[in-house]
Amino acid sequence: MDLQTIRFPVTAIASILHRISGVITFIAVGILLWLLGLSLSSAEGFMQAAAIMNSFIVKFILWGILTALAYHICGGVRHLLMDFGCIVESLAAGNRSAQVAICLTIVLSVLAGVWVW
């Protein structure tokens, strides 16, 4: 079996991305809470946090965190709509809803990039 010939369906990719985005979001909460605590500790802490946020690398990481959060929310709403029966549980509907979640995340990711920079 040649593993390079395996093609995942869009629903499998959406499921894997939902799990990965959840892990990223979980880890990001700790980082963002540390940064919030630093900014609220004192005036000097706020200036230090502001200086940290001015770095290109930190802005890129923040953009990645916002993108992961956006995808996790889109995927979660997709799952909720399927659980409530608003999306018919068929292969075609699953493919379409996964495509919509991914496309919506791309739009939200671009908007997050504009907001961060």
Side-chain angles (χ1 to χ4, degrees), residues 58-97:
V58 174
K59 286 183 179 182
F60 185 75
I61 291 170
L62 181 62
W63 173 76
I65 289 170
L66 290 173
T67 299
L69 179 62
Y71 184 76
H72 198 71
I73 290 171
C74 290
V77 168
R78 173 181 171 255
H79 282 288
L80 282 173
L81 291 174
M82 287 190 304
D83 288 344
F84 286 130
C86 298
I87 298 176
V88 179
E89 291 195 26
S90 67
L91 184 58
N95 284 336
R96 179 50 94 194
S97 65

Side-chain angles (χ1 to χ4, degrees), residues 34-115:
W34 169 78
L35 193 59
L36 177 65
L38 177 64
S39 71
L40 295 176
S41 65
S42 64
E44 294 80 24
F46 178 81
M47 295 306 290
Q48 187 178 6
I52 290 170
M53 289 302 297
N54 282 332
S55 165
F56 175 80
I57 299 294
V58 174
K59 286 183 179 182
F60 185 75
I61 291 170
L62 181 62
W63 173 76
I65 289 170
L66 290 173
T67 299
L69 179 62
Y71 184 76
H72 198 71
I73 290 171
C74 290
V77 168
R78 173 181 171 255
H79 282 288
L80 282 173
L81 291 174
M82 287 190 304
D83 288 344
F84 286 130
C86 298
I87 298 176
V88 179
E89 291 195 26
S90 67
L91 184 58
N95 284 336
R96 179 50 94 194
S97 65
Q99 291 169 346
V100 168
I102 291 170
C103 290
L104 186 57
T105 301
I106 291 170
V107 170
L108 292 173
S109 177
V110 169
L111 291 175
V114 170
W115 181 64

